Amino acid sequence: LLLLFIGLFFIKMLSTEIYNNNQEKLSILSMNVENELNTIAKIPTEIHRNATIQNALEESINSELALSDLSSLQRKALKELNWIIADKPNVKSIELLNNKNERISGTTSHDQNFFDGKSLLSIVEESPRTANSGSWYFDKELKESVFVQTIFSTRGSSKMAPIGTVLISVNTMFIQNFLKESPVFSREDFFVLINGKSISSTNWDGQESFLPFIQTKAGQASRENKYEIGKINGNKFFIMSANARIGQNEITFYYFILNHLLVEQLVKAEIFIIITIIFVFSISIYFGKRYLQNLIDPINRLAKQMKKFNGEADLNDLKTISQSTSGPIRSDEIGVLYASFNKLIHQIEELVINDYQSKLLTKEMEYKFLQAQLDPHFLYNTLNSINWMALGKDETEISEMVTSLAFLFRNKLDSGDSFWSLQEEMEVIQAYLNIQSNRFDTRLIFKSDIQDDAFRVRMPKLIIQPLLENAVKYGVEKVDRPVTILLKIVVQETTIKIAVSDDGPGFEKSKDSTNHSTGLGLENIRSRIQLVYGKKATLSIHSKAYDNTTVTILLPKEIEDRNIGISD
């Protein structure tokens, strides 16, 4: 009985939810129709604000105006009107008359049928001449409509004097398109629009039976979009009314939707829920007991086996438990639990093996590192000997190159602090440039533009010198003319910008930080800064063929106060 009561309560809630959902969908539909009509009703406001159209209307009233001048005014006004209605696809045409009912824009003659059997002038004469509102005219089947409003002067001594009338012909088929696209409406449903005493409908056949209901409810519609369930001609309808404000006009919408189409699924759901409740109530205890037993027993067995491992036994004890709890393969949560436990045992075993292998590899690397330390000492001693031999023979250029080379090697092979100041980086750069200047002579021109604040910045070691090396390799070496390399360092608000550019040959395809670099050195720099700073640091390359190549590094400004050392 409790389950049955819950089911009936659920059905009641579901029916209310269906009606509320349909009310919400129809409210949105009403809002869309209202917004579209209001968009058209705002066209006269745009005309009032348009100085060109205002001028055309005022000057066209002047009887002394030449025919050529009138044609010019008409062309200017037409151009402005076309701009105004360019983004309003539902506007079919726009007729603009001056205060003398002379056409400024449009193609309809005065005695021609303009709308619903009425001529242009008859509609103008019917419409009230007020500054704040216009008049809407809808045809019976809601296929087209006309909006008429008087245009007043907005400037000079004649301000607020009537100077013309605008008639906007509208294709109101968009209302029917909205209804077709709505999941609520069907062919048997009705949409009624009431404008004053005029009644229009999307489905006029059989509307006579609805008129008494509409007349009874006339004036009761509100902006709250209320709905009710009513019976008309023996059919039960979901009826919703909405009062829309189009400019200064009050227009009422009525929706008549066959109720059985809305609740058809609900009736089926009622029968299904009752049968399901009875069925579930009959077998729930039996299957529930079996399910709980099937769920709890495997967990208890696994917990019992895991208690045998007290945390002090070796890996073989864990492997024994894993093998003893493997059991049958299951696809439910218990199977996942058993599989995860077995996977955990295997991962622990792999971690133990990897840890052992890592220790062996560390020992081997320490041994190789001690061996590698012997080679730099031999290199420094050899370069020092060459330096003294060059000095002994007054070869100062050779001595300078050897000294720069030794200084460069010493800093590159130094395994100490991984960070240093920009000043130390510039010393290495100067040593490298001393060597390359002797090699390329006047073909290499180096310039720098560095802010004073940059010299107290700490940065990863040897991060700029490879950029210069790349510029020499791909710029200076590739051409036989002088190449200028510019180093520019700027301390920005949150970043340090380092840019190295050259006017060498460049290359065809521009590359940014997401692409592979042109050399292994730049790729190593990218890897280093991303390892230290993550996504806060970037390296980008931009180049144009036969023009210029620039490599830019952005580092976070927080490194300015950094005082750390990272061992290699």
Side-chain angles (χ1 to χ4, degrees):
L1 291 176
L2 179 61
L3 292 175
L4 183 61
F5 174 78
I6 294 174
L8 294 175
F9 179 74
F10 170 76
I11 291 172
K12 179 65 176 178
M13 289 182 59
L14 183 59
S15 62
T16 303
E17 183 68 18
I18 289 176
Y19 288 136
N20 290 337
N21 285 340
N22 282 281
Q23 179 190 16
E24 183 178 351
K25 292 175 183 177
L26 293 176
S27 297
I28 295 174
L29 184 60
S30 299
M31 189 182 304
N32 291 336
V33 174
E34 182 179 356
N35 290 339
E36 189 64 30
L37 293 177
N38 269 317
T39 299
I40 296 167
K42 291 178 182 177
I43 292 178
T45 302
E46 298 183 50
I47 294 176
H48 281 114
R49 296 174 181 173
N50 191 292
T52 301
I53 300 177
Q54 285 274 319
N55 182 63
L57 288 171
E58 291 176 355
E59 292 191 18
S60 66
I61 301 174
N62 185 359
S63 59
E64 298 178 358
L65 192 66
L67 184 60
S68 59
D69 294 335
L70 178 61
S71 299
S72 176
L73 291 174
Q74 290 174 340
R75 286 194 299 270
K76 292 179 181 179
L78 178 61
K79 182 178 180 181
E80 295 298 321
L81 289 172
N82 287 337
W83 275 112
I84 290 175
I85 67 174
D87 60 341
K88 301 172 180 64
N90 294 316
V91 175
K92 293 171 58 178
S93 65
I94 184 166
E95 306 282 340
L96 182 63
L97 307 179
N98 64 13
N99 203 25
K100 297 172 82 183
N101 289 332
E102 295 173 341
R103 183 185 300 105
I104 303 301
S105 172
T107 59
T108 306
S109 62
H110 290 353
D111 57 352
Q112 184 180 348
N113 178 21
F114 181 65
F115 174 77
D116 202 18
K118 298 179 181 179
S119 65
L120 201 67
L121 290 180
S122 63
I123 294 179
V124 172
E125 292 173 357
E126 288 180 12
S127 303
R129 289 181 172 269
T130 58
N132 297 326
S133 66
S135 300
W136 279 98
Y137 300 89
F138 295 90
D139 72 339
K140 190 175 182 181
E141 297 179 350
L142 270 182
K143 293 182 178 180
E144 61 179 340
S145 62
V146 172
F147 180 71
V148 185
Q149 184 168 335
T150 302
I151 303 300
F152 289 81
S153 175
T154 58
R155 55 186 183 170
S157 59
S158 61
K159 188 174 182 180
M160 296 310 295
I163 58 175
T165 306
V166 62
L167 299 92
I168 305 168
S169 180
V170 183
N171 179 9
T172 48
M173 287 297 294
F174 72 87
I175 297 178
Q176 302 194 34
N177 293 333
F178 283 162
L179 296 174
K180 290 178 182 178
E181 295 172 0
S182 172
V184 180
F185 247 72
S186 69
R187 293 183 178 180
E188 301 179 24
D189 299 328
F190 300 89
F191 172 80
V192 179
L193 183 149
I194 301 179
N195 179 30
K197 296 181 180 180
S198 172
I199 299 178
S200 305
S201 174
T202 58
N203 189 356
W204 194 256
D205 294 337
Q207 286 292 322
E208 291 77 7
S209 58
F210 290 81
L211 291 178
F213 176 87
I214 295 174
Q215 293 170 352
T216 302
K217 299 292 183 179
Q220 297 181 13
S222 67
R223 302 286 292 182
E224 297 179 0
N225 300 334
K226 295 181 179 180
Y227 72 88
E228 61 179 294
I229 306 298
K231 202 168 186 180
I232 302 175
N233 286 348
N235 293 320
K236 202 173 183 181
F237 283 88
F238 172 86
I239 305 169
M240 194 186 94
S241 60
N243 193 16
R245 178 175 291 277
I246 313 299
Q248 300 297 323
N249 297 272
E250 294 289 340
I251 296 178
T252 304
F253 303 148
Y254 276 99
Y255 300 90
F256 295 87
I257 301 176
L258 284 171
N259 190 64
H260 72 85
L261 296 178
L262 295 179
V263 298
E264 182 178 2
Q265 298 297 325
L266 181 62
V267 173
K268 296 179 180 179
E270 291 177 353
I271 299 174
F272 176 76
I273 289 175
I274 293 173
I275 296 175
T276 302
I277 288 174
I278 296 174
F279 177 75
V280 172
F281 181 77
S282 301
I283 65 172
S284 60
I285 297 177
Y286 172 74
F287 283 103
K289 184 176 181 181
R290 288 194 59 182
Y291 174 76
L292 291 175
Q293 195 70 25
N294 191 38
L295 179 68
I296 294 172
D297 286 351
I299 298 177
N300 289 335
R301 288 197 300 269
L302 181 60
K304 183 177 180 181
Q305 294 294 335
M306 291 182 67
K307 286 181 180 179
K308 296 180 180 179
F309 179 70
N310 56 14
E312 299 177 356
D314 58 11
L315 182 61
N316 291 329
D317 291 332
L318 278 176
K319 293 171 67 176
T320 301
I321 295 175
S322 174
Q323 295 170 358
S324 64
T325 57
S326 58
I329 299 176
R330 298 173 54 159
S331 59
D332 58 2
E333 292 83 354
I334 304 302
V336 173
L337 183 61
Y338 272 79
S340 300
F341 177 75
N342 294 332
K343 184 178 179 180
L344 177 63
I345 301 304
H346 293 303
Q347 287 178 343
I348 292 175
E349 184 178 14
E350 290 177 1
L351 287 174
V352 171
I353 295 174
N354 290 339
D355 182 62
Y356 177 72
Q357 292 176 343
S358 176
K359 290 180 180 179
L360 291 179
L361 182 60
T362 301
K363 293 294 182 182
E364 182 179 357
M365 292 298 293
E366 289 177 354
Y367 175 72
K368 289 184 177 180
F369 177 72
L370 292 175
Q371 283 185 322
Q373 284 184 321
L374 300 176
D375 294 334
H377 292 295
F378 172 75
L379 178 62
Y380 299 151
N381 292 334
T382 303
L383 292 174
N384 191 38
S385 299
I386 296 173
N387 179 40
W388 283 107
M389 291 175 65
L391 289 175
K393 295 183 179 182
D394 293 328
E395 296 288 347
T396 56
E397 291 185 1
I398 296 176
S399 173
E400 184 179 351
M401 287 185 65
V402 170
T403 303
S404 298
L405 182 61
F407 179 77
L408 190 61
F409 279 155
R410 182 179 298 110
N411 283 280
K412 283 198 172 186
L413 297 175
D414 183 15
S415 61
D417 194 352
S418 295
F419 282 79
W420 62 10
S421 67
L422 174 62
Q423 184 64 42
E424 293 172 296
E425 181 81 12
M426 292 302 299
E427 292 175 0
V428 173
I429 291 173
Q430 190 58 52
Y432 173 75
L433 291 174
N434 289 339
I435 297 173
Q436 296 297 348
S437 294
N438 280 280
R439 175 185 175 190
F440 294 104
D441 197 13
T442 58
R443 286 173 54 196
L444 173 59
I445 302 173
F446 175 74
K447 296 181 180 180
S448 63
D449 181 8
I450 305 174
Q451 286 187 359
D452 294 338
D453 292 345
F455 284 99
R456 57 191 181 89
V457 171
R458 289 180 63 81
M459 62 179 61
K461 181 186 291 186
L462 294 175
I463 200 172
I464 303 178
Q465 185 270 332
L467 303 183
L468 298 176
E469 188 174 339
N470 186 77
V472 171
K473 180 178 179 181
Y474 294 100
V476 181
E477 290 184 1
K478 299 295 183 180
V479 296
D480 56 358
R481 60 174 173 81
V483 174
T484 300
I485 299 176
L486 173 63
L487 169 62
K488 186 173 183 179
I489 303 178
V490 180
V491 179
Q492 299 175 336
E493 184 177 355
T494 59
T495 58
I496 312 277
K497 182 179 180 181
I498 303 169
V500 175
S501 59
D502 67 82
D503 56 0
F507 49 88
E508 290 291 341
K509 187 177 180 181
S510 294
K511 303 179 180 182
D512 54 28
S513 58
T514 62
N515 297 113
H516 295 295
S517 65
T518 57
L520 182 61
L522 296 186
E523 187 61 32
N524 287 339
I525 293 176
R526 178 184 280 115
S527 300
R528 286 177 58 199
I529 62 176
Q530 289 182 350
L531 182 64
V532 176
Y533 303 107
K535 295 182 179 179
K536 295 181 180 179
T538 61
L539 184 148
S540 60
I541 307 169
H542 300 279
S543 180
K544 294 182 179 179
Y546 312 108
D547 188 0
N548 180 276
T549 299
T550 302
V551 181
T552 304
I553 295 179
L554 290 178
L555 302 179
K557 190 178 178 181
E558 61 189 39
I559 66 169
E560 182 174 351
D561 300 322
R562 207 164 194 157
N563 190 19
I564 61 172
I566 302 176
S567 299
D568 289 337

